[in-house]
Amino acid sequence: MKIGNLYDLDSFKKFQDSSKQSGFKDAYSGSILARNLTAVDPQIFEKKYPELSFVNSGIAADNSGGYARIIQSLRKQELGGFSTAGDASGNKGKISMTGEESSLKVVERESHSIWTDSEVKEADLQNINLVSDYISAHNRIYLREVDQIGYLGVPDVPASTGLLNYAGFTSAAATGAVGGLTAQQMYDDIAGLITAQHNAVNNTPEYMAVKVDMPIYVLNTLTVTILNTANGASSVLSALKANFAGVEFRGTFRADDAGGVGVSHTVAYSTNSEAMKMRIPTALTVGEIIKQGSFDYRVDSKYRIGGLDVLENTAGYILTGL
């Protein structure tokens, strides 16, 4: 996801300016914005926050909608065909257009932090910039929420689902729990998932799965389980990578109970913007520092999110219970 789609950068600039006006200094030898946001890179996210698999999935974040309460997506599709020339009947060929639509409810999420000048000065004695750390905490928790919403849906919105539990995806049951499967069964389950998805979209590049997200314990098991073939021995994961060169295999703890307590989901999906988008109409916005009293300060943050908008139901396939 692009930084500009995840953050309202203008609001962070204003926050930085208000921080200077309030007399707070940056103990990190650089602006708050530069340290916590501008230098952020998806690879760094993977190293610092291993739970942010969805944020690093490659699915685009879309800021369309602003302060609208509902986001509607429209997709056009052609229907009909040609008829043979010279046919004397009145039933000639006809080509028409139809539209498909989906809609998502948008919710606003907000939070705030408060501190006193004494707390700032005490932290400064330890070479800690308390104000910067608060904003960094807002950022980290925001990214974790985006990751959770992308996988499982928006909290407090019953109909909302995510990549791991979207009802429009075709789902099939695994042969069994991964701990009780042979190496060949493990391979067949994952390979069958990818092949079924590719077959369903007739190898249309925009809709073909390029990522497979699974529970971390499943990924680790595939990594260490040896598969013996006519060409030699390799791990199940290595064999999958060799046979599906365009597919990336990843782990997330959010897949563990995606189908309910004790029921894991593994999903093969396309990240193309023609297949699905993450709707964040208002990116993370941080307010200016407000002086509430002689020695008390406050900062607010908010964002508006609709969740994962699946534009093509065949762009994802789910394997349950692995």
Side-chain angles (χ1 to χ4, degrees), residues 224-238:
V224 300
T225 303
I226 300 302
L227 176 67
N228 292 307
T229 67
N231 297 323
S234 65
S235 71
V236 175
L237 185 60
S238 295

Side-chain angles (χ1 to χ4, degrees), residues 89-110:
S89 71
N91 187 21
K92 301 297 183 182
K94 178 182 178 181
I95 295 176
S96 60
M97 300 294 296
T98 185
E100 300 175 346
E101 66 178 52
S102 63
S103 61
L104 293 174
K105 179 181 178 181
V106 177
V107 300
E108 184 165 300
R109 307 275 291 171
E110 59 184 9

Side-chain angles (χ1 to χ4, degrees), residues 36-260:
N36 290 326
L37 294 176
T38 305
V40 170
D41 179 86
Q43 294 301 318
I44 296 175
F45 283 167
E46 284 285 343
K47 294 178 180 179
K48 286 188 175 182
Y49 311 119
E51 70 268 32
L52 299 181
S53 300
F54 182 87
V55 172
N56 295 318
S57 66
I59 294 175
D62 189 287
N63 300 135
S64 302
Y67 284 89
R69 295 185 178 182
I70 300 291
I71 295 179
Q72 187 177 57
S73 300
L74 300 175
R75 185 178 66 165
K76 61 184 179 181
Q77 180 181 3
E78 62 277 3
L79 297 175
F82 293 88
S83 64
T84 302
D87 189 346
S89 71
N91 187 21
K92 301 297 183 182
K94 178 182 178 181
I95 295 176
S96 60
M97 300 294 296
T98 185
E100 300 175 346
E101 66 178 52
S102 63
S103 61
L104 293 174
K105 179 181 178 181
V106 177
V107 300
E108 184 165 300
R109 307 275 291 171
E110 59 184 9
S111 192
H112 72 277
S113 293
I114 56 176
W115 62 86
T116 67
D117 66 337
S118 294
E119 291 172 334
V120 172
K121 291 174 182 176
E122 289 172 356
D124 189 49
L125 293 175
Q126 304 173 66
N127 200 33
I128 294 173
N129 188 316
L130 185 63
V131 181
S132 179
D133 282 355
Y134 271 129
I135 296 305
S136 179
H138 281 242
N139 175 43
R140 290 195 300 268
I141 292 173
Y142 163 65
L143 289 175
R144 290 170 185 167
E145 286 200 2
V146 170
D147 195 75
Q148 179 181 357
I149 290 169
Y151 273 132
L152 301 173
V154 182
D156 305 322
V157 180
S160 179
T161 56
L163 189 62
L164 288 167
N165 56 3
Y166 178 63
F169 291 159
T170 297
S171 64
T175 304
V178 69
L181 300 182
T182 65
Q184 188 62 53
Q185 288 173 324
M186 294 178 197
Y187 176 88
D188 290 344
D189 272 355
I190 301 295
L193 171 69
I194 300 169
T195 303
Q197 194 279 332
H198 287 182
N199 288 342
V201 301
N202 294 314
N203 283 359
T204 304
E206 291 82 1
Y207 302 146
M208 288 178 68
V210 295
K211 300 282 176 73
V212 177
D213 290 0
M214 64 191 75
I216 292 173
Y217 64 84
V218 173
L219 183 65
N220 290 342
T221 301
L222 299 182
T223 302
V224 300
T225 303
I226 300 302
L227 176 67
N228 292 307
T229 67
N231 297 323
S234 65
S235 71
V236 175
L237 185 60
S238 295
L240 287 167
K241 289 180 177 180
N243 291 332
F244 298 95
V247 178
E248 181 182 357
F249 301 88
R250 310 174 333 134
T252 172
F253 73 94
R254 302 194 193 279
D256 293 1
D257 300 311

